[in-house]
Amino acid sequence: MAKDRIDSFDRRILEILQLNGELGPSELSTRIHLSPSQCSRRLQRLREEGYIQRTAAILDPEKLNLGISAYVSVRLRSQSTEIVSAFRERVEALPEVVSCDYTTGEIDFMLKVHTRDLASYSEFVNAKLFDGDLIDNMRTFVIMQQLKRTTSLTLDYC
């Protein structure tokens, strides 16, 4: 099998692991009809080739008293290397930010943020995120209801 090529068994392994990352080679073998040793070798290769970056638990924000989820669009004061780098460093240090994407168009970054309530969100924005002179403009979109939540990626293109 050529490097960076996956077959239907690999796709099935990835599909199953996206739904339940706790499964090991034995459990996978019964679901995809390969031996545990073959599943183990395939898992190892998929990790080595970067298809599986890591395995993590998905936590419930409400159980953790994180009642506010929001998207925050950010436009920086300038696109200089120093400002972009300083903003990235700031975002990396903020535990409230669970994702940050560098985007095209009118905004530079789109963040997803979780905080306890509106008061803690306001404190987060004013004391942590908007601190300094990096940001030109920022808009908040509070999530009122989540319609779909998944970490599974489509495997239709590999």
Side-chain angles (χ1 to χ4, degrees):
M1 186 180 310
K3 185 174 170 70
D4 291 330
R5 298 285 304 165
I6 62 173
D7 62 17
S8 62
F9 288 111
D10 293 331
R11 281 187 197 85
R12 187 74 178 124
I13 289 171
L14 293 173
E15 179 183 335
I16 292 168
L17 287 179
Q18 285 191 107
L19 298 175
N20 186 352
E22 296 177 335
L23 297 179
S26 295
E27 296 93 347
L28 285 171
S29 71
T30 59
R31 294 182 185 205
I32 64 170
H33 309 294
L34 283 177
S35 71
S37 62
Q38 287 178 337
C39 285
S40 181
R41 283 193 296 275
R42 284 174 180 268
L43 274 171
Q44 181 64 30
R45 183 180 50 76
L46 290 167
R47 285 187 178 99
E48 288 171 358
E49 292 179 3
Y51 288 98
I52 301 171
Q53 293 179 345
R54 64 187 170 101
T55 304
I58 299 170
L59 306 180
D60 183 343
E62 288 183 25
K63 295 272 188 193
L64 302 171
N65 295 320
L66 297 171
I68 296 295
S69 299
Y71 289 103
V72 181
S73 66
V74 174
R75 185 173 63 222
L76 298 181
R77 184 173 49 85
S78 99
Q79 289 293 313
S80 74
T81 305
E82 296 80 19
I83 288 181
V84 170
S85 179
F87 181 75
R88 286 182 176 187
E89 285 179 25
R90 178 178 299 161
V91 166
E92 284 290 328
L94 298 174
E96 296 91 347
V97 177
V98 296
S99 71
C100 176
D101 298 300
Y102 200 14
T103 64
T104 63
E106 294 181 24
I107 63 167
D108 297 316
F109 294 92
M110 181 64 78
L111 286 61
K112 186 168 186 186
V113 174
H114 293 284
T115 64
R116 180 179 56 252
D117 51 26
L118 286 175
S120 62
Y121 178 76
S122 179
E123 174 70 19
F124 162 77
V125 167
N126 294 316
K128 296 179 179 179
L129 184 64
F130 209 65
D131 187 30
D133 61 350
L134 301 176
I135 296 174
D136 177 52
N137 189 338
M138 162 183 134
R139 294 182 71 186
T140 297
F141 305 89
V142 174
I143 299 170
M144 293 175 44
Q145 181 181 26
Q146 189 171 58
L147 301 179
K148 180 179 179 179
R149 180 181 182 195
T150 183
T151 58
S152 296
L153 299 174
T154 182
L155 300 174
D156 293 344
Y157 302 102
C158 59

